[in-house]
């Protein structure tokens, strides 16, 4: 196990909680300012991550989220700097693992690759691997076997490195007993809230503060670049079999129009609505990742010429051309000023409630009489928090049993919560099955902590540089 975990376990726990937050919380090593000319968004050692790779990853992540949520996702999520940063974070982590794997000479060989592919049910017929079905399914996803195998080999290589680290982690019986004692220990707790709503009327946010927030946080109000496209689709299997080469040649040779190819092959020239660079607004064939990648290729945006023929499914070809383009822009101040004012007002009210709550907490800890309306006392434990949130449970669990009642507190969006712990008792014995479940869960946690410490070490070994976006420098 890495020494970092043993010496700084608390740090690693916090780091795990923050791992999906923007890079600002990770601690960026440095910035470089040539992103506009090199099309780089990040650099890991000498390995570059390009804007195109980031755009593709963002679209793939957006598609995954929409699929999980059944399409019911606020489009503003995919337009936020936080979403972009979290995807970039993952790309950097993946690249760190690949660069380190290359340094160590770790790679998934062809035998492992073939065996894994052969076991994937989607590629089988009658329980056996089918090369024809393999190629057919990949074509339907807009991928070639070589591209799929390259991605799979990359993922397997990363997994081999991570698994090698995680496999070294073992917890002892003594550690397990200590963990279970902490998980089952019960505490009698009463709660009181210093509500932020009590301070809303006393807070005044002037226009200058609203304007300053807007100007200082301009990236939060960005609208991503977007386009409209013209496109033609060749999807009749019989026509595709005969005319696919002709279709490809015509969209290439007459690159500023679809008039001739539409007339020759009896196709309809379609026009899209606005499509954002995160894929929002793309429908039907235009939502295909390969099509979106072609649309937002820098050359396509600049030259506005027909794309090459793209096979998005068996016997389905498409060519697209950008017909209108709007660069990244800011939402008008007037359209967001109300939301900003509400946010700043609420924030200030929470700060006042927190200050009042912290003062009350200090007096309680000092043994002073404090006017607090405590709620009903209830028994809680880590296994059965009885309505307490994770942060509240953490605060309550940190209270020592030397002197009771003891007090703790924490801020939230509702204000500041005070906790009075009046009793601490040992928990009941757990059945063996439950003990095994807790042991397995903690083992996974420690393995995750080891992987996080690995990533910290890799950032030291392979410096990470993040490109400063041109529009950010202009602010």
């Amino acid at each position: 196990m890495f020494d970092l975990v043993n010496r700084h376990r608390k740090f690693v726990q916090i780091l795990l909680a923050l791992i999906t937050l923007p890079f600002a919380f990770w601690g960026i090593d440095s910035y470089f300012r040539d992103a506009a000319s090199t099309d780089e968004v990040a650099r890991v050692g000498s390995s570059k991550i390009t804007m195109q790779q980031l755009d593709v990853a963002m679209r793939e992540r957006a598609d995954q989220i929409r699929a999980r949520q059944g399409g019911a996702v606020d489009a503003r999520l995919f337009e936020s700097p936080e979403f972009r940063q979290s995807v970039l974070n993952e790309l950097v982590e993946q690249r760190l693992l690949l660069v380190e794997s290359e340094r160590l000479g770790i790679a998934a060989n062809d035998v492992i690759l073939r065996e894994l592919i052969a076991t994937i049910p989607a590629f089988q017929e009658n329980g056996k691997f089918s090369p024809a079905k393999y190629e057919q399914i990949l074509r339907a996803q807009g991928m070639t076997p070589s591209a799929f195998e390259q991605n799979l080999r990359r993922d397997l290589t990363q997994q081999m490195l991570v698994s090698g680290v995680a496999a070294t982690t073992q917890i002892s019986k003594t550690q397990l007993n200590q963990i279970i004692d902490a998980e089952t220990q019960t505490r009698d707790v009463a709660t009181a809230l210093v509500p932020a709503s009590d301070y809303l009327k006393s807070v005044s946010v002037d226009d200058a503060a609203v304007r300053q927030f807007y100007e200082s946080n301009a990236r939060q109000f960005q609208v991503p670049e977007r386009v409209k496209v013209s496109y033609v689709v060749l999807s009749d299997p019989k026509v595709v079999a005969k005319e696919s080469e002709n279709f490809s040649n015509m969209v290439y040779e007459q690159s500023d129009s679809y008039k001739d190819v539409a007339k020759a092959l009896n196709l309809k020239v379609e026009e899209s609505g606005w499509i954002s660079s995160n894929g929002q607004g793309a429908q039907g064939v235009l939502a295909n990742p390969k099509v979106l990648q072609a649309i937002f290729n820098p050359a396509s945006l600049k030259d506005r010429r027909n794309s090459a023929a793209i096979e998005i499914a068996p016997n389905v070809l498409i060519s697209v051309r950008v017909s209108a383009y709007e660069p990244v822009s800011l939402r008008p101040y007037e359209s967001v000023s109300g939301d900003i004012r509400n946010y700043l007002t609420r924030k200030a009210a929470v700060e006042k409630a927190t200050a009042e709550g912290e003062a009350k907490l200090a007096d309680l800890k000092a043994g002073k009489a404090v006017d607090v309306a405590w709620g009903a006392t209830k028994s809680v434990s880590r296994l059965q928090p009885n309505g307490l949130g994770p942060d509240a449970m953490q605060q309550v669990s940190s209270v020592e049993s030397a002197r009771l009642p003891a007090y703790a507190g924490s801020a939230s969006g509702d204000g500041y919560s005070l906790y009075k712990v009046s009793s601490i008792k040992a928990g009941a014995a757990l059945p063996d099955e439950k003990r095994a479940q807790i042991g397995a869960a903690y083992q996974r946690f420690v393995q995750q902590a080891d992987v996080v410490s690995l990533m910290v070490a890799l950032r030291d070994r392979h410096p990470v540089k993040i490109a400063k976006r041109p529009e950010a420098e202009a602010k």
Side-chain angles (χ1 to χ4, degrees):
M1 184 183 299
F2 280 83
D3 289 340
L4 177 63
V5 176
N6 295 325
R7 290 186 285 108
H8 304 289
R9 175 75 65 184
K10 184 65 176 177
F11 165 74
V12 172
Q13 291 174 350
I14 295 172
L15 189 57
L16 274 169
L18 298 179
I19 195 168
T20 59
L21 293 181
F23 268 112
F25 296 92
W26 260 77
I28 290 304
D29 300 308
S30 59
Y31 288 81
F32 59 92
R33 300 174 181 271
D34 56 350
S37 59
T38 65
D39 194 33
E40 289 180 39
V41 293
R43 191 181 302 156
V44 179
S46 60
S47 180
K48 301 174 182 179
I49 298 174
T50 67
M51 178 66 75
Q52 185 176 2
Q53 291 169 333
L54 176 59
D55 286 344
V56 171
M58 289 178 64
R59 287 194 288 270
E60 290 176 349
R61 170 55 61 85
D63 289 342
Q64 292 169 359
I65 294 175
R66 290 192 190 98
R68 285 199 302 267
Q69 301 296 327
V73 182
D74 188 340
R76 289 176 294 182
L77 167 67
F78 308 129
E79 300 171 2
S80 68
E82 292 78 12
F83 177 74
R84 179 186 188 275
Q85 205 70 45
S86 69
V87 176
L88 181 56
N89 190 356
E90 292 186 4
L91 287 179
V92 168
E93 290 175 358
Q94 293 170 7
R95 193 63 59 87
L96 280 167
L97 291 172
L98 285 176
V99 170
E100 180 65 5
S101 297
E102 292 176 0
R103 189 186 74 84
L104 297 175
I106 298 174
N109 61 40
D110 292 342
V111 174
I112 295 175
L113 202 64
R114 285 196 297 268
E115 290 178 350
L116 178 59
I117 291 173
T119 62
I120 298 176
F123 299 148
Q124 295 178 349
E125 285 186 353
N126 299 321
K128 294 183 178 181
F129 175 71
S130 169
K133 191 172 184 181
Y134 173 58
E135 294 184 7
Q136 179 185 9
I137 290 176
L138 291 182
R139 280 199 306 271
Q141 299 298 318
M143 297 187 70
T144 64
S146 61
F148 173 76
E149 290 161 15
Q150 180 180 0
N151 290 340
L152 185 58
R153 189 189 303 276
R154 177 200 63 203
D155 294 342
L156 284 174
T157 298
Q158 294 173 16
Q159 185 178 340
M160 289 168 65
L161 179 58
V162 170
S163 298
V165 172
T168 64
T169 300
Q170 296 294 330
I171 60 172
S172 68
K173 185 176 181 180
T174 300
Q175 288 174 315
L176 179 58
N177 288 336
Q178 293 172 343
I179 294 163
I180 290 176
D181 287 346
E183 292 290 308
T184 58
Q185 187 182 70
T186 63
R187 297 173 179 235
D188 291 340
V189 179
T191 303
L193 177 68
V194 181
S197 57
D198 288 354
Y199 299 89
L200 288 174
K201 292 183 178 179
S202 66
V203 173
S204 177
V205 177
D206 59 27
D207 293 343
V210 177
R211 173 69 72 172
Q212 181 180 9
F213 184 89
Y214 175 77
E215 293 176 351
S216 300
N217 299 273
R219 291 182 63 182
Q220 294 187 24
F221 309 107
Q222 283 182 350
V223 178
E225 63 181 345
R226 62 179 189 167
V227 300
K228 290 183 178 181
V229 299
S230 302
Y231 63 101
V232 287
V233 180
L234 183 64
S235 58
D236 186 320
K238 295 181 180 179
V239 178
V240 172
K242 296 180 180 179
E243 302 288 354
S244 60
E245 184 175 354
N246 189 28
F247 176 85
S248 299
N249 291 337
M250 293 186 74
V251 298
Y252 174 77
E253 291 169 357
Q254 191 177 4
S255 59
D256 59 351
S257 171
Y258 289 125
K259 180 179 179 181
D260 289 350
V261 70
K263 182 177 180 181
L265 302 180
N266 194 28
L267 304 176
K268 181 181 179 181
V269 180
E270 306 277 2
E271 302 289 340
S272 77
W274 286 108
I275 301 172
S276 297
S277 57
N278 57 24
Q280 186 66 29
Q283 298 179 356
V285 293
L286 298 180
N288 183 281
K290 291 179 68 175
V291 176
L292 288 170
Q293 182 175 344
I295 291 173
F296 288 96
N297 183 295
S300 299
L301 298 176
K302 178 182 178 182
D303 300 334
R304 301 196 185 187
R305 296 187 178 277
N306 301 343
S307 73
I310 306 168
E311 184 179 26
I312 59 174
N315 297 316
V316 179
L317 298 175
I318 182 175
S319 175
V320 294
R321 184 182 71 254
V322 173
S323 57
Y325 172 75
E326 288 186 355
V328 174
S329 60
L330 282 178
R331 291 187 175 93
Y333 171 76
E334 293 74 16
S335 70
V336 297
S337 59
D339 290 338
I340 294 175
R341 189 181 303 277
N342 291 339
Y343 167 77
L344 293 177
T345 300
R346 184 72 185 180
K347 181 174 179 289
V350 169
E351 289 171 352
K352 286 193 171 186
T354 298
E356 177 69 16
E358 289 176 342
K360 289 179 180 290
L361 178 60
D363 287 344
L364 288 167
K365 288 183 175 181
K368 297 180 181 179
V370 180
D371 183 17
V372 176
W374 295 107
T377 299
K378 56 185 178 181
S379 180
V380 303
S381 70
R382 291 183 184 273
L383 289 181
Q384 295 180 323
N386 201 4
L388 289 187
D391 184 59
M393 197 64 229
Q394 180 65 33
Q395 296 297 325
V396 167
S397 298
S398 67
V399 168
E400 300 292 341
S401 59
R403 182 183 176 185
L404 296 176
Y407 303 92
S410 64
S412 69
D414 295 324
Y416 192 87
S417 295
L418 295 165
Y419 310 106
K420 179 173 70 173
V421 179
S422 55
S423 164
I424 301 177
K425 305 172 186 175
L430 295 179
D432 290 344
E433 181 180 357
K434 186 65 175 178
R435 290 174 62 88
Q437 291 175 353
I438 293 175
Y442 186 75
Q443 178 105 351
R444 288 193 297 271
F445 168 78
V446 177
Q447 289 173 341
Q448 290 172 343
D450 280 351
V451 171
V452 171
S453 67
L454 167 67
M455 301 308 299
V456 172
L458 292 184
R459 289 175 66 85
D460 289 337
R461 179 172 292 153
H462 308 289
V464 175
K465 297 182 180 180
I466 305 300
K468 181 158 290 188
R469 301 174 72 183
E471 64 268 22
E473 295 224 10
K475 302 300 175 188

